[in-house]
């Protein structure tokens, strides 16, 4: 590389995109296009950055496989930052292999971490953890060490391992300070706040209060019978009873658990669970059927007893009952949780992350937009949705942003 490209690359590695742009702003060769693209990505102009890197990849000749591989990795990182999750991992994996063959161990490791972060963003924790296995980050430069520790913290948070997450955040903070990159230091500090803000609400014997992640972890490890609306299941000791795709059973379980040890009248259950104020014999018959299904699911952990006016939950002797819900009482709380990271998401990316259909997500976004809780820009496939970060709200996922100078 010539001296200007070398100077621009060093400035980018130090998190100084403006200096890098000053070096290559008037050039249009392939290397300069790539440097300008990475600089604009660090400055937040992701659409132009992606276009420049795509042009740089085409400008590099077929014999310049290494340079083309670097462009692929940079474009993948921009796609991740843009919350464009629909891309295939195969080109990124091929680029990583090319980088390793040419001895660029650090860039190859960076490509590997981009893939792992995408898996984490989509909730594929087993794949992300498998991707981290065998990695020794001690020899990495500080920015990549920080990225590595943020991924470890993200997996730990999703698995409710707060002690492990706290240790990973501490290591990430140390690495970020060693890098001397202000944006990276601020990113790690912001991510670590996840442990200090409410992560869920607890309903117990007619009272409710906010819980930190550490308290949620302790609750789930107890002998309490928990109706967990965050993950759509009932937990009893070490047993998890999934109710995913069974909203009626989950709503019944929540109402019975909230009222415990009292019963819930049949008319109240019909009104709340079936969303109707006009109960007739068909509704009462349907209620008996759904209660029977829930009783079958909870067998061995709790019973459901019919009373004169309704139904009551009957857990095992000595077992307490509680309800765990998201920290925000909002119909579309999961979408708001993803948008709360401050990044702009497409509806297709939200659908992938939530495991829902794109049309369902689009309807939810339109509803939130009418309530002025989200906003969008762009049209068609370029439309993106975002909202300002919500203070005091823990996102469902840890969503680490791309590292400056990566």
């Amino acid at each position: 590389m010539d001296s200007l490209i070398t100077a621009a690359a060093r400035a980018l590695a130090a998190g100084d995109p403006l200096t890098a742009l000053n070096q290559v702003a008037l050039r249009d060769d392939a290397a300069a296009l790539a440097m300008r693209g990475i600089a604009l990505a660090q400055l937040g102009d992701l659409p132009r950055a992606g276009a420049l890197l795509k042009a740089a990849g085409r400008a590099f000749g077929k014999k310049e496989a290494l340079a083309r591989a670097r462009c692929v990795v940079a474009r993948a990182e921009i796609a991740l930052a843009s919350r464009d999750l629909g891309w295939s991992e195969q080109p990124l994996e091929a680029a990583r292999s090319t980088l390793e063959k040419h001895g660029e161990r650090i860039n190859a490791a960076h490509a590997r971490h981009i893939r792992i972060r995408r898996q984490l963003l989509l909730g594929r924790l087993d794949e992300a953890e498998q991707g981290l296995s065998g990695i020794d980050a001690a020899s990495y430069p500080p920015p990549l060490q920080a990225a590595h520790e943020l991924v470890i913290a993200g997996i730990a948070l999703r698995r409710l391992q707060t002690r492990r997450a706290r240790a990973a955040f501490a290591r990430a903070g140390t690495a970020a300070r060693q890098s001397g990159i202000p944006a990276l230091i601020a990113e790690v500090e912001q991510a670590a706040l996840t442990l200090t803000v409410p992560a869920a609400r607890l309903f117990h014997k007619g009272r409710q209060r906010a819980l930190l992640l550490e308290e949620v972890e302790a609750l789930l490890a107890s002998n309490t019978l928990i109706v967990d609306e965050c993950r759509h299941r009932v937990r009893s000791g070490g047993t998890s009873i999934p109710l995913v795709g069974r909203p009626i059973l989950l709503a019944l379980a929540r109402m019975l658990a909230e009222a415990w040890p009292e019963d819930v009248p049949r008319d109240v259950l019909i009104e709340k669970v079936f969303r109707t104020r006009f109960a007739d014999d068909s509704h009462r018959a349907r209620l008996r059927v759904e209660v029977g299904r829930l009783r079958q699911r909870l067998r061995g952990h709790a019973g459901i007893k019919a009373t004169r006016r309704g139904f009551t939950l009957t857990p095992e002797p000595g077992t307490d009952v509680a309800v765990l819900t998201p920290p925000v009482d909002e119909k579309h709380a999961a979408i708001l949780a993803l948008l709360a990271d401050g990044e702009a998401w497409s509806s297709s990316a939200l659908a992938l992350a939530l495991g829902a259909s794109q049309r369902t997500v689009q309807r939810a976004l339109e509803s939130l937009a009418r309530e002025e809780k989200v906003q969008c820009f762009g049209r068609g496939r370029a439309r993106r949705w975002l909202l300002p970060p919500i203070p005091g709200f823990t996102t469902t996922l840890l969503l680490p942003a791309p590292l400056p100078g990566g």
Side-chain angles (χ1 to χ4, degrees):
M1 293 187 294
D2 59 50
S3 59
L4 290 179
I5 296 297
T6 301
R10 288 175 177 171
L12 291 173
D16 187 2
L18 294 178
T19 298
L21 283 175
N22 285 335
Q23 302 294 332
V24 297
L26 300 178
R27 295 175 50 169
D28 58 2
D29 55 284
L33 289 174
M35 294 295 106
R36 284 162 57 190
I38 296 172
L40 288 176
Q42 290 189 14
L43 291 172
D45 192 349
L46 300 182
R48 287 183 62 194
L52 283 169
L53 283 164
K54 185 176 181 179
R58 289 196 303 262
F60 284 116
K62 292 183 178 180
K63 296 182 179 180
E64 298 175 286
L66 182 59
R68 294 166 67 92
R70 292 171 182 160
C71 289
V72 170
V73 173
R75 288 180 62 193
E77 187 168 19
I78 289 173
L80 188 71
S82 303
R83 297 302 182 255
D84 178 8
L85 307 180
W87 46 275
S88 170
E89 295 179 354
Q90 292 181 354
L92 180 61
E93 186 62 19
R96 183 192 66 80
S97 178
T98 299
L99 291 167
E100 285 186 343
K101 288 178 182 178
H102 286 79
E104 293 206 359
R105 185 178 60 87
I106 300 302
N107 282 338
H110 182 54
R112 187 175 183 179
H113 279 80
I114 291 173
R115 180 179 181 179
I116 294 171
R117 283 159 54 192
R118 178 178 182 269
Q119 292 166 347
L120 176 61
L121 199 61
L122 294 174
R124 301 172 183 170
L125 301 188
D126 292 337
E127 294 180 31
E129 208 156 30
Q130 184 178 1
L132 285 178
S133 62
I135 294 181
D136 181 13
S139 60
Y140 291 168
L144 193 53
Q145 285 186 25
H148 179 81
E149 297 299 339
L150 282 177
V151 174
I152 293 176
I155 294 173
L157 288 176
R158 290 289 302 274
R159 296 195 185 281
L160 290 178
Q161 300 168 346
T162 54
R163 184 175 299 179
R164 181 187 174 199
R166 198 181 303 278
F169 280 134
R171 295 192 297 269
T174 300
R177 288 187 293 272
Q178 289 175 352
S179 74
I181 302 175
L184 178 56
I185 296 171
E187 178 194 340
V188 174
E189 291 176 349
Q190 183 66 32
L193 291 177
T194 307
L195 295 170
T196 64
V197 296
R201 288 184 302 155
L202 174 69
F203 290 83
H204 180 240
K205 293 183 177 179
R207 297 182 179 181
Q208 63 170 302
R209 66 183 181 93
L211 295 183
L212 301 179
L213 274 173
E214 194 171 18
E215 295 173 307
V216 174
E217 181 184 13
L219 176 66
L220 295 179
S222 69
N223 195 38
T224 304
L225 179 71
I226 305 166
V227 178
D228 185 356
E229 276 207 333
C230 299
R231 288 175 170 81
H232 294 192
R233 61 190 62 208
V234 176
R235 298 174 183 268
S236 177
T239 304
S240 178
I241 305 167
L243 295 178
V244 178
R246 305 303 298 267
I248 298 296
L249 299 188
L250 183 63
L252 275 174
R254 173 176 176 171
M255 293 192 66
L256 293 172
E258 280 187 6
W260 181 84
E262 304 297 328
D263 61 355
V264 184
R266 290 175 177 82
D267 291 343
V268 174
L269 287 172
I270 291 172
E271 179 181 349
K272 298 296 183 182
V273 174
F274 301 143
R275 300 179 183 179
T276 178
R277 295 183 180 179
F278 306 101
D280 55 23
D281 290 342
S282 66
H283 290 103
R284 296 184 184 92
R286 185 184 176 192
L287 178 63
R288 289 194 297 271
V289 170
E290 298 295 349
V291 167
R293 289 172 177 167
L294 181 60
R295 186 183 288 122
Q296 181 68 27
R297 291 289 185 100
L298 299 181
R299 180 168 295 177
H301 304 280
I304 301 176
K305 181 181 178 182
T307 64
R308 289 184 58 187
R309 65 173 193 160
F311 296 93
T312 184
L313 195 64
T314 56
E316 295 293 310
T319 301
D320 208 356
V321 177
V323 176
L324 199 64
T325 70
V328 175
D329 188 12
E330 164 66 49
K331 181 180 179 181
H332 305 299
I335 291 178
L336 293 176
L338 290 172
L339 294 176
D341 70 338
E343 300 291 348
W345 287 70
S346 65
S347 59
S348 59
L350 288 169
L352 280 171
L354 295 171
S357 72
Q358 187 172 350
R359 186 62 193 129
T360 298
V361 171
Q362 288 171 343
R363 284 195 294 265
L365 289 169
E366 290 166 0
S367 174
L368 290 169
R370 286 193 296 270
E371 299 172 7
E372 298 184 349
K373 294 181 179 179
V374 301
Q375 54 186 333
C376 66
F377 62 89
R379 293 187 176 184
R381 298 179 65 181
R383 175 168 290 184
R384 295 293 183 269
W385 299 84
L386 75 164
L387 79 167
I390 303 174
F393 182 88
T394 297
T395 60
T396 305
L397 309 174
L398 175 69
L399 308 171
L403 292 177

